Amino acid sequence: MKKYYVNENAQLNGDHEVHTADCRYVPSVFNRKDLGEHSSCKSAVMEAKKTYSKSNGCKTCSDDCHTS
């Protein structure tokens, strides 16, 4: 199980990226939402989509869920 966060600031394309806690691109504590612990990025992205419908995995730490 890994801890995941979603960036509250959208990327230029409108995506809110989901990151693991140990990702080098994890957002600062001031602009991230805690998604809790998940066994995969898939469930973390599903959780993020409850708040940000256009969520997707980080290319670096959640590549299996990176779609754009």
Side-chain angles (χ1 to χ4, degrees), residues 3-9 19-21 23-35 52:
K3 188 153 186 74
Y4 286 87
Y5 297 96
V6 63
N7 193 334
E8 293 178 327
N9 298 326
H19 301 268
T20 59
C23 179
R24 67 186 205 173
Y25 298 112
V26 70
S28 78
V29 296
F30 301 108
N31 57 349
R32 69 183 182 198
K33 180 178 182 195
D34 187 343
L35 298 173
Y52 303 109

Side-chain angles (χ1 to χ4, degrees), residues 41-54:
C41 63
K42 290 178 175 71
S43 61
V45 169
M46 284 178 31
E47 183 65 28
K49 285 185 176 193
K50 292 178 182 176
T51 304
Y52 303 109
S53 61
K54 197 170 179 198

Side-chain angles (χ1 to χ4, degrees), residues 1-17:
M1 300 282 274
K2 288 189 174 190
K3 188 153 186 74
Y4 286 87
Y5 297 96
V6 63
N7 193 334
E8 293 178 327
N9 298 326
Q11 302 296 312
L12 293 176
N13 66 1
D15 285 353
H16 289 266
E17 285 193 332

